[in-house]
Amino acid sequence: MSARAAPSRRRQAGRRLRYLPTGSFPFLLLLLLLCIQLGGGQKKKENLLAEKVEQLMEWSSRRSIFRMNGDKFRKFVKAPPRNYSMIVMFTALQPQRQCSVCRQANEEYQILANSWRYSSAFCNKLFFGMVDYDEGTDVFQQLNMNSAPTFMHFPSKGRPKRADTFDLQRIGFAAEQLAKWIADRTDVHCIVFAMTSGQMWNHIRGPPYAHKNPHNGQVSYIHGSSQAQFVAESHIILVLNAAITMGMVLLNEAATSKGDVGKRRIICLVGLGLVVFFFSFLLSIFRSKYHGYPYSFLIK
């Protein structure tokens, strides 16, 4: 029974082959070649993107802001593929340009980029670049840009919109304002631009350790302004906060332990003394920096 069925199945297969359109094989071959080509193009695109991100990360490890000429701008900012956002400052820092605003804005931009570089949220989704007019005149012409400084955000997808150009005339160029604008424009919601400690301030601002008065030789370890601080000041504040914390620990130990009552009383007095004295010292430093602050405690 099975021997008779085999020729029948071969005859049916032969009929199906005869009825297959003669143009199907070239079409199938073309479709196969197209799929291979698309797969190769996608792989090439992924490799190019990986190379670009790797290069940007390498530059960022050395400097928080990398300078670009026309070729670099077109390759890393304008040309696809790109899965990262770019913040670019267009400026004119050469002395012959005499752009004092450019120098001031550059200082704030450096603070902003450094705070991102040193933050724990730093990743490969956001990079900071700069195009100087004398190094990228063609870029200024391409963007029809005739003023500096200008800050622009180039999103990871699509073209920049009107809101991707920072409104410097209305908002100013303070690092804090730039940070708010960038957080609003980018998809990187984990950005932390705030300087959360004195050591972070030292990394970004690069202040002197202390100040020596050239007239009388007196050394100041506390800066007289609320907008700046010395390195020594950061260390002093750190010690004061550590002493206050130790006092709080001793107070908690005296309240929760079940040891000798006399010993607990001594621990309580020591802890209270640490908190009161060093908090008063900390408050006096605050008063010296924020002139006109009316409150004090023990130390003025």
Side-chain angles (χ1 to χ4, degrees):
M1 187 72 178
S2 59
R4 295 178 180 177
S8 177
R9 285 197 295 270
R10 283 196 295 269
R11 285 194 297 272
Q12 292 176 0
R15 293 193 192 98
R16 286 197 293 269
L17 289 175
R18 283 197 297 270
Y19 288 117
L20 188 66
T22 57
S24 298
F25 290 107
F27 173 76
L28 292 175
L29 181 61
L30 179 62
L31 184 61
L32 179 61
L33 292 175
L34 182 61
C35 291
I36 295 174
Q37 184 177 5
L38 289 175
Q42 181 65 26
K43 187 67 176 179
K44 183 178 179 180
K45 183 179 178 180
E46 293 175 357
N47 292 337
L48 178 59
L49 177 60
E51 291 176 2
K52 290 170 69 174
V53 172
E54 182 180 1
Q55 181 65 73
L56 290 170
M57 290 295 290
E58 180 183 348
W59 285 337
S60 297
S61 66
R62 297 198 298 261
R63 300 186 65 179
S64 55
I65 300 173
F66 51 90
R67 303 175 74 100
M68 295 181 289
N69 55 20
D71 292 336
K72 288 182 178 179
F73 177 80
R74 283 183 284 272
K75 178 179 179 180
F76 292 98
V77 180
K78 297 291 289 184
R82 195 174 70 248
N83 64 351
Y84 51 85
S85 294
M86 286 287 302
I87 306 298
V88 182
M89 177 184 179
F90 300 91
T91 186
L93 294 174
Q94 296 301 320
Q96 66 269 19
R97 300 298 174 187
Q98 298 182 352
C99 182
S100 59
V101 179
C102 293
R103 291 192 293 271
Q104 297 171 13
N106 180 55
E107 292 178 359
E108 296 296 318
Y109 191 49
Q110 292 284 347
I111 293 170
L112 175 65
N114 283 334
S115 67
W116 166 242
R117 178 186 175 189
Y118 288 111
S119 73
S120 59
F122 177 75
C123 63
N124 60 1
K125 297 300 182 182
L126 179 66
F127 297 99
F128 290 84
M130 176 185 296
V131 177
D132 191 278
Y133 179 79
D134 292 280
E135 299 171 359
T137 307
D138 53 336
V139 178
F140 278 74
Q141 294 174 351
Q142 178 183 352
L143 298 176
N144 296 320
M145 192 174 296
N146 53 16
S147 63
T150 299
F151 297 95
M152 287 189 65
H153 165 240
F154 294 87
S156 57
K157 297 180 180 179
R159 297 181 179 180
K161 300 177 182 178
R162 184 175 180 179
D164 288 309
T165 299
F166 183 68
D167 192 350
L168 186 145
Q169 298 296 330
R170 184 176 64 87
I171 305 176
F173 48 75
E176 294 78 10
Q177 297 299 328
L178 285 168
K180 293 179 182 178
W181 168 69
I182 292 172
D184 179 63
R185 299 310 306 165
T186 64
D187 293 330
V188 185
H189 300 291
C190 59
I191 299 176
V192 180
F193 291 97
M195 301 171 201
T196 57
S197 69
Q199 287 303 109
M200 179 67 75
W201 173 279
N202 295 336
H203 273 297
I204 296 172
R205 297 278 185 174
Y209 186 83
H211 173 70
K212 184 176 182 180
N213 192 315
H215 301 292
N216 55 21
Q218 184 178 359
V219 179
S220 299
Y221 297 101
I222 305 297
H223 199 284
S225 171
S226 61
Q227 301 299 317
Q229 68 182 36
F230 299 131
V231 175
E233 182 179 342
S234 301
H235 298 162
I236 292 172
I237 299 300
L238 179 64
V239 171
L240 293 178
N241 282 316
I244 294 172
T245 302
M246 178 59 67
M248 296 298 296
V249 171
L250 292 177
L251 288 173
N252 181 72
E253 179 68 19
T256 58
S257 65
K258 298 180 180 180
D260 182 70
V261 175
K263 184 178 179 180
R264 291 170 57 190
R265 184 179 294 111
I266 294 174
I267 294 175
C268 179
L269 291 175
V270 172
L272 184 62
L274 287 173
V275 172
V276 170
F277 178 77
F278 287 105
F279 179 77
S280 178
F281 196 0
L282 189 64
L283 189 60
S284 69
I285 294 176
F286 184 83
R287 279 171 50 85
S288 68
K289 296 179 69 67
Y290 290 83
H291 305 286
Y293 186 75
Y295 304 106
S296 63
F297 184 65
L298 293 183
I299 302 174
K300 294 185 177 182

